mmCIF file of all heavy atoms in Angstrom:
data_model
loop_
_atom_site.group_PDB
_atom_site.id
_atom_site.type_symbol
_atom_site.label_atom_id
_atom_site.label_comp_id
_atom_site.label_asym_id
_atom_site.label_seq_id
_atom_site.Cartn_x
_atom_site.Cartn_y
_atom_site.Cartn_z
ATOM 1 N N PRO A 1 0.834 -1.201 0.000
ATOM 2 C CA PRO A 1 0.000 0.000 0.000
ATOM 3 C C PRO A 1 0.872 1.256 0.000
ATOM 4 O O PRO A 1 1.981 1.244 0.544
ATOM 5 C CB PRO A 1 -0.790 -0.118 1.310
ATOM 6 C CG PRO A 1 -0.774 -1.581 1.629
ATOM 7 C CD PRO A 1 0.563 -2.074 1.136
ATOM 8 N N SER A 2 0.373 2.313 -0.612
ATOM 9 C CA SER A 2 1.139 3.559 -0.683
ATOM 10 C C SER A 2 0.287 4.715 -0.167
ATOM 11 O O SER A 2 -0.691 5.107 -0.790
ATOM 12 C CB SER A 2 1.576 3.841 -2.122
ATOM 13 O OG SER A 2 2.300 5.042 -2.189
ATOM 14 N N PHE A 3 0.674 5.241 0.991
ATOM 15 C CA PHE A 3 -0.013 6.412 1.544
ATOM 16 C C PHE A 3 0.375 7.662 0.767
ATOM 17 O O PHE A 3 1.505 7.773 0.282
ATOM 18 C CB PHE A 3 0.384 6.640 3.008
ATOM 19 C CG PHE A 3 -0.080 5.577 3.956
ATOM 20 C CD1 PHE A 3 0.839 4.799 4.637
ATOM 21 C CD2 PHE A 3 -1.425 5.365 4.185
ATOM 22 C CE1 PHE A 3 0.429 3.828 5.535
ATOM 23 C CE2 PHE A 3 -1.851 4.394 5.074
ATOM 24 C CZ PHE A 3 -0.916 3.628 5.757
ATOM 25 N N ASP A 4 -0.527 8.621 0.697
ATOM 26 C CA ASP A 4 -0.171 9.922 0.147
ATOM 27 C C ASP A 4 0.813 10.616 1.083
ATOM 28 O O ASP A 4 1.767 11.241 0.635
ATOM 29 C CB ASP A 4 -1.409 10.803 -0.027
ATOM 30 C CG ASP A 4 -2.346 10.301 -1.104
ATOM 31 O OD1 ASP A 4 -1.873 9.639 -2.053
ATOM 32 O OD2 ASP A 4 -3.555 10.570 -1.008
ATOM 33 N N LEU A 5 0.553 10.505 2.392
ATOM 34 C CA LEU A 5 1.388 11.170 3.386
ATOM 35 C C LEU A 5 1.470 10.305 4.629
ATOM 36 O O LEU A 5 0.468 9.791 5.112
ATOM 37 C CB LEU A 5 0.773 12.530 3.763
ATOM 38 C CG LEU A 5 1.453 13.328 4.869
ATOM 39 C CD1 LEU A 5 2.871 13.730 4.463
ATOM 40 C CD2 LEU A 5 0.624 14.562 5.213
ATOM 41 N N CYS A 6 2.668 10.143 5.153
ATOM 42 C CA CYS A 6 2.904 9.435 6.408
ATOM 43 C C CYS A 6 3.590 10.421 7.351
ATOM 44 O O CYS A 6 4.670 10.925 7.036
ATOM 45 C CB CYS A 6 3.775 8.202 6.169
ATOM 46 S SG CYS A 6 4.002 7.181 7.628
ATOM 47 N N ILE A 7 2.955 10.734 8.465
ATOM 48 C CA ILE A 7 3.505 11.672 9.444
ATOM 49 C C ILE A 7 4.014 10.878 10.639
ATOM 50 O O ILE A 7 3.274 10.112 11.249
ATOM 51 C CB ILE A 7 2.440 12.687 9.901
ATOM 52 C CG1 ILE A 7 1.882 13.451 8.700
ATOM 53 C CG2 ILE A 7 3.035 13.646 10.933
ATOM 54 C CD1 ILE A 7 0.693 14.330 9.029
ATOM 55 N N LEU A 8 5.278 11.074 10.953
ATOM 56 C CA LEU A 8 5.935 10.340 12.038
ATOM 57 C C LEU A 8 6.485 11.294 13.083
ATOM 58 O O LEU A 8 6.808 12.444 12.775
ATOM 59 C CB LEU A 8 7.109 9.523 11.480
ATOM 60 C CG LEU A 8 6.812 8.525 10.370
ATOM 61 C CD1 LEU A 8 8.111 8.002 9.778
ATOM 62 C CD2 LEU A 8 5.954 7.395 10.897
ATOM 63 N N GLY A 9 6.661 10.791 14.270
ATOM 64 C CA GLY A 9 7.408 11.487 15.302
ATOM 65 C C GLY A 9 8.740 10.781 15.466
ATOM 66 O O GLY A 9 9.035 9.793 14.787
ATOM 67 N N ILE A 10 9.539 11.302 16.367
ATOM 68 C CA ILE A 10 10.822 10.674 16.695
ATOM 69 C C ILE A 10 11.004 10.762 18.202
ATOM 70 O O ILE A 10 10.716 11.795 18.808
ATOM 71 C CB ILE A 10 12.000 11.334 15.937
ATOM 72 C CG1 ILE A 10 13.322 10.644 16.274
ATOM 73 C CG2 ILE A 10 12.060 12.824 16.192
ATOM 74 C CD1 ILE A 10 14.505 11.110 15.437
ATOM 75 N N GLY A 11 11.462 9.665 18.808
ATOM 76 C CA GLY A 11 11.712 9.653 20.235
ATOM 77 C C GLY A 11 13.137 10.056 20.549
ATOM 78 O O GLY A 11 14.010 10.084 19.670
ATOM 79 N N SER A 12 13.399 10.344 21.803
ATOM 80 C CA SER A 12 14.747 10.757 22.208
ATOM 81 C C SER A 12 15.760 9.625 22.074
ATOM 82 O O SER A 12 16.964 9.859 22.147
ATOM 83 C CB SER A 12 14.738 11.291 23.646
ATOM 84 O OG SER A 12 14.239 10.302 24.522
ATOM 85 N N ASP A 13 15.287 8.400 21.837
ATOM 86 C CA ASP A 13 16.172 7.263 21.583
ATOM 87 C C ASP A 13 16.307 6.968 20.093
ATOM 88 O O ASP A 13 16.938 5.996 19.697
ATOM 89 C CB ASP A 13 15.674 6.016 22.315
ATOM 90 C CG ASP A 13 14.284 5.576 21.860
ATOM 91 O OD1 ASP A 13 13.641 6.290 21.056
ATOM 92 O OD2 ASP A 13 13.828 4.507 22.322
ATOM 93 N N GLY A 14 15.704 7.820 19.249
ATOM 94 C CA GLY A 14 15.783 7.637 17.799
ATOM 95 C C GLY A 14 14.720 6.720 17.240
ATOM 96 O O GLY A 14 14.722 6.425 16.053
ATOM 97 N N HIS A 15 13.769 6.275 18.083
ATOM 98 C CA HIS A 15 12.711 5.406 17.562
ATOM 99 C C HIS A 15 11.708 6.236 16.764
ATOM 100 O O HIS A 15 11.592 7.441 16.934
ATOM 101 C CB HIS A 15 12.028 4.617 18.684
ATOM 102 C CG HIS A 15 10.899 5.322 19.358
ATOM 103 N ND1 HIS A 15 11.070 6.106 20.471
ATOM 104 C CD2 HIS A 15 9.571 5.336 19.077
ATOM 105 C CE1 HIS A 15 9.895 6.586 20.856
ATOM 106 N NE2 HIS A 15 8.966 6.145 20.021
ATOM 107 N N THR A 16 11.021 5.559 15.882
ATOM 108 C CA THR A 16 9.926 6.165 15.136
ATOM 109 C C THR A 16 8.923 5.073 14.831
ATOM 110 O O THR A 16 9.285 3.899 14.713
ATOM 111 C CB THR A 16 10.420 6.872 13.860
ATOM 112 O OG1 THR A 16 9.356 7.672 13.338
ATOM 113 C CG2 THR A 16 10.916 5.902 12.806
ATOM 114 N N ALA A 17 7.669 5.448 14.717
ATOM 115 C CA ALA A 17 6.600 4.512 14.350
ATOM 116 C C ALA A 17 6.593 3.259 15.223
ATOM 117 O O ALA A 17 6.340 2.175 14.738
ATOM 118 C CB ALA A 17 6.722 4.135 12.869
ATOM 119 N N SER A 18 6.912 3.398 16.488
ATOM 120 C CA SER A 18 6.964 2.266 17.430
ATOM 121 C C SER A 18 7.951 1.186 17.023
ATOM 122 O O SER A 18 7.813 0.014 17.372
ATOM 123 C CB SER A 18 5.569 1.670 17.668
ATOM 124 O OG SER A 18 4.763 2.617 18.344
ATOM 125 N N ILE A 19 8.963 1.566 16.268
ATOM 126 C CA ILE A 19 10.106 0.699 15.989
ATOM 127 C C ILE A 19 11.255 1.263 16.819
ATOM 128 O O ILE A 19 11.687 2.398 16.604
ATOM 129 C CB ILE A 19 10.488 0.682 14.497
ATOM 130 C CG1 ILE A 19 9.323 0.203 13.638
ATOM 131 C CG2 ILE A 19 11.723 -0.171 14.279
ATOM 132 C CD1 ILE A 19 8.963 -1.258 13.761
ATOM 133 N N PHE A 20 11.735 0.476 17.768
ATOM 134 C CA PHE A 20 12.749 0.927 18.706
ATOM 135 C C PHE A 20 14.131 0.410 18.310
ATOM 136 O O PHE A 20 14.241 -0.567 17.565
ATOM 137 C CB PHE A 20 12.369 0.462 20.123
ATOM 138 C CG PHE A 20 11.112 1.111 20.614
ATOM 139 C CD1 PHE A 20 9.873 0.530 20.355
ATOM 140 C CD2 PHE A 20 11.154 2.316 21.289
ATOM 141 C CE1 PHE A 20 8.696 1.138 20.784
ATOM 142 C CE2 PHE A 20 9.991 2.930 21.719
ATOM 143 C CZ PHE A 20 8.761 2.340 21.468
ATOM 144 N N PRO A 21 15.196 1.072 18.770
ATOM 145 C CA PRO A 21 16.549 0.669 18.366
ATOM 146 C C PRO A 21 16.866 -0.811 18.565
ATOM 147 O O PRO A 21 17.591 -1.390 17.760
ATOM 148 C CB PRO A 21 17.450 1.555 19.227
ATOM 149 C CG PRO A 21 16.648 2.793 19.440
ATOM 150 C CD PRO A 21 15.231 2.295 19.599
ATOM 151 N N HIS A 22 16.313 -1.446 19.598
ATOM 152 C CA HIS A 22 16.605 -2.866 19.836
ATOM 153 C C HIS A 22 15.869 -3.786 18.853
ATOM 154 O O HIS A 22 16.068 -4.998 18.902
ATOM 155 C CB HIS A 22 16.280 -3.245 21.285
ATOM 156 C CG HIS A 22 14.818 -3.321 21.602
ATOM 157 N ND1 HIS A 22 14.049 -2.197 21.818
ATOM 158 C CD2 HIS A 22 13.989 -4.385 21.709
ATOM 159 C CE1 HIS A 22 12.805 -2.574 22.057
ATOM 160 N NE2 HIS A 22 12.741 -3.899 22.003
ATOM 161 N N GLU A 23 15.054 -3.219 17.967
ATOM 162 C CA GLU A 23 14.266 -4.027 17.031
ATOM 163 C C GLU A 23 14.490 -3.623 15.579
ATOM 164 O O GLU A 23 13.566 -3.647 14.771
ATOM 165 C CB GLU A 23 12.779 -3.909 17.360
ATOM 166 C CG GLU A 23 12.424 -4.402 18.730
ATOM 167 C CD GLU A 23 10.953 -4.280 19.033
ATOM 168 O OE1 GLU A 23 10.401 -3.170 18.917
ATOM 169 O OE2 GLU A 23 10.356 -5.302 19.379
ATOM 170 N N LEU A 24 15.708 -3.263 15.263
ATOM 171 C CA LEU A 24 15.985 -2.812 13.893
ATOM 172 C C LEU A 24 15.614 -3.854 12.847
ATOM 173 O O LEU A 24 15.309 -3.504 11.713
ATOM 174 C CB LEU A 24 17.453 -2.421 13.744
ATOM 175 C CG LEU A 24 17.816 -1.053 14.298
ATOM 176 C CD1 LEU A 24 19.325 -0.839 14.244
ATOM 177 C CD2 LEU A 24 17.105 0.057 13.565
ATOM 178 N N ASP A 25 15.594 -5.133 13.212
ATOM 179 C CA ASP A 25 15.221 -6.169 12.244
ATOM 180 C C ASP A 25 13.801 -5.983 11.739
ATOM 181 O O ASP A 25 13.469 -6.380 10.626
ATOM 182 C CB ASP A 25 15.383 -7.567 12.847
ATOM 183 C CG ASP A 25 14.494 -7.801 14.063
ATOM 184 O OD1 ASP A 25 14.411 -6.914 14.930
ATOM 185 O OD2 ASP A 25 13.881 -8.879 14.127
ATOM 186 N N LYS A 26 12.943 -5.348 12.536
ATOM 187 C CA LYS A 26 11.559 -5.120 12.107
ATOM 188 C C LYS A 26 11.464 -4.031 11.044
ATOM 189 O O LYS A 26 10.437 -3.877 10.409
ATOM 190 C CB LYS A 26 10.688 -4.780 13.301
ATOM 191 C CG LYS A 26 10.496 -5.980 14.195
ATOM 192 C CD LYS A 26 9.495 -5.736 15.265
ATOM 193 C CE LYS A 26 9.310 -7.037 16.047
ATOM 194 N NZ LYS A 26 8.506 -6.876 17.211
ATOM 195 N N LEU A 27 12.521 -3.316 10.858
ATOM 196 C CA LEU A 27 12.511 -2.266 9.836
ATOM 197 C C LEU A 27 12.449 -2.843 8.428
ATOM 198 O O LEU A 27 11.988 -2.190 7.516
ATOM 199 C CB LEU A 27 13.767 -1.397 9.955
ATOM 200 C CG LEU A 27 13.839 -0.512 11.179
ATOM 201 C CD1 LEU A 27 15.205 0.128 11.258
ATOM 202 C CD2 LEU A 27 12.762 0.542 11.140
ATOM 203 N N ILE A 28 12.943 -4.039 8.250
ATOM 204 C CA ILE A 28 13.057 -4.565 6.896
ATOM 205 C C ILE A 28 11.971 -5.581 6.548
ATOM 206 O O ILE A 28 12.036 -6.218 5.517
ATOM 207 C CB ILE A 28 14.446 -5.199 6.669
ATOM 208 C CG1 ILE A 28 14.696 -6.324 7.673
ATOM 209 C CG2 ILE A 28 15.532 -4.139 6.751
ATOM 210 C CD1 ILE A 28 15.938 -7.140 7.390
#
């Protein structure tokens, strides 16, 4: 699926979209 716009925040640990640094494998 392709959104027209995806708005994200960023946490002080560099996480975004509820993907946290300890779970980088979920990014792919």
Side-chain angles (χ1 to χ4, degrees):
S2 179
F3 293 116
D4 292 332
L5 176 64
C6 185
I7 302 172
L8 303 170
I10 181 172
S12 58
D13 61 354
H15 87 269
T16 192
S18 293
I19 301 290
F20 295 89
H22 72 282
E23 299 180 305
L24 281 173
D25 61 316
K26 290 188 176 172
L27 290 172
I28 58 171

